[in-house]
Amino acid sequence: DTGVSQDPRHKITKRGQNVTFRCDPISEHNRLYWYRQTLGQGPEFLTYFQNEAQLEKSRLLSDRFSAERPKGSFSTLEIQRTEQGDSAMYLCASSPDTGYNQPQHFGDGTRLSIL
Amino acid sequence: GQQLNQSPQSMFIQEGEDVSMNCTSSSIFNTWLWYKQDPGEGPVLLIALYKAGELTSNGRLTAQFGITRKDSFLNISASIPSDVGIYFCAGTNAGKSTFGDGTTLTVKP
């Protein structure tokens, strides 16, 4: 399977702990996106990368959130000092670098539950 | 910011019926996308629309990019039980996608 891969699929942690998620995009895709989705809503944009450069960050991405894509391949999303409101599905998507409006292909997400 | 209004919020239909759902926005988008999401999985791309007025089909699915670039609709013909799921529209500008809140489709056999 050569789709977008996310790890872990589920993460349960106590409030105040740090968590890190990983995303491996489709291999020939240079653009990588992070979204957050809560129950009953559509995905909300968090940030995106063109190769290793982080080009845009949403205001949803507080100082406790940081995303990296050090070699332009896989990406990590870290949440520090987790809060109850961070409970959500975190989705990663990728798209090819052939125009800004190429459709994004999603992974199956990491579901985060904060106790 | 940009927001999409997707309707209806939910639909309960009989197998074999046709379905129509739509998205409207106060903002113009360069691309409209339609995704389907099953429980516990990520959204799967169904149809991508790139030009105002474009009408595109994918099997039993047909979608159109509104002429004003502020709306799109998705039709599903002759629904089957595996069409059950949540359908999302998304408008894209400069690489960033804005999603509607979904239409939940239930198909009764």
Side-chain angles (χ1 to χ4, degrees), chain B:
Chain B
Q2 298 172 327
Q3 287 189 324
L4 297 188
N5 298 308
Q6 190 170 350
S7 64
Q9 195 172 28
S10 60
M11 302 183 75
F12 295 82
I13 63 167
Q14 206 72 36
E15 182 177 358
E17 290 183 353
D18 297 343
V19 171
S20 185
M21 59 190 79
N22 68 82
C23 262
T24 60
S25 172
S26 57
S27 303
I28 289 174
F29 288 101
N30 292 323
T31 304
W32 281 92
L33 307 168
W34 285 92
Y35 290 87
K36 179 176 183 272
Q37 187 174 28
D38 292 329
E41 298 183 7
V44 174
L45 182 69
L46 299 174
I47 291 181
L49 301 158
Y50 298 101
K51 292 192 294 190
E54 179 181 354
L55 184 72
T56 297
S57 293
N58 178 8
R60 293 179 296 105
L61 278 59
T62 301
Q64 185 159 30
F65 191 147
I67 198 73
T68 64
R69 299 169 72 178
K70 294 182 178 181
D71 63 302
S72 177
F73 72 73
L74 174 71
N75 288 342
I76 306 172
S77 62
S79 58
I80 59 178
S82 63
D83 290 335
V84 164
I86 305 176
Y87 292 80
F88 289 101
C89 62
T92 302
N93 284 329
K96 191 171 80 173
S97 289
T98 302
F99 283 77
D101 283 337
T103 293
T104 301
L105 179 63
T106 302
V107 180
K108 292 180 281 187

Side-chain angles (χ1 to χ4, degrees), chain A residues 6 9 37 89 91 106-109, chain B residues 35-44:
Chain A
Q6 290 189 247
R9 291 294 312 277
Q37 185 178 27
M89 173 82 89
L91 292 162
F106 284 82
D108 284 336
Chain B
Y35 290 87
K36 179 176 183 272
Q37 187 174 28
D38 292 329
E41 298 183 7
V44 174

Side-chain angles (χ1 to χ4, degrees), chain A residues 3-7 21-26 29 31-37 43-44 46-49 68-69 73-77 89-95 104-110, chain B residues 35 41-43 99:
Chain A
V4 177
S5 177
Q6 290 189 247
D7 183 71
F21 312 138
R22 176 180 170 124
C23 171
D24 288 89
I26 294 171
H29 287 184
R31 295 204 179 108
L32 186 149
Y33 308 79
W34 285 99
Y35 289 82
R36 181 171 69 186
Q37 185 178 27
E44 294 175 291
L46 292 178
T47 188
Y48 92 94
F49 293 83
E68 294 182 344
R69 196 182 182 198
S73 56
F74 74 90
S75 175
T76 58
L77 177 67
M89 173 82 89
Y90 289 85
L91 292 162
C92 176
S94 69
S95 69
Q104 297 162 29
H105 298 266
F106 284 82
D108 284 336
T110 294
Chain B
Y35 290 87
E41 298 183 7
F99 283 77

Side-chain angles (χ1 to χ4, degrees), chain A residues 10-27:
Chain A
H10 299 95
K11 179 71 176 177
I12 301 173
T13 193
K14 292 182 179 179
R15 183 164 55 93
Q17 297 294 306
N18 298 344
V19 293
T20 301
F21 312 138
R22 176 180 170 124
C23 171
D24 288 89
I26 294 171
S27 59

Side-chain angles (χ1 to χ4, degrees), chain A residues 55-68:
Chain A
L55 296 187
E56 187 170 347
K57 293 196 293 186
S58 161
R59 277 174 284 183
L60 291 175
L61 216 63
S62 76
D63 291 344
R64 296 184 298 106
F65 288 70
S66 62
E68 294 182 344

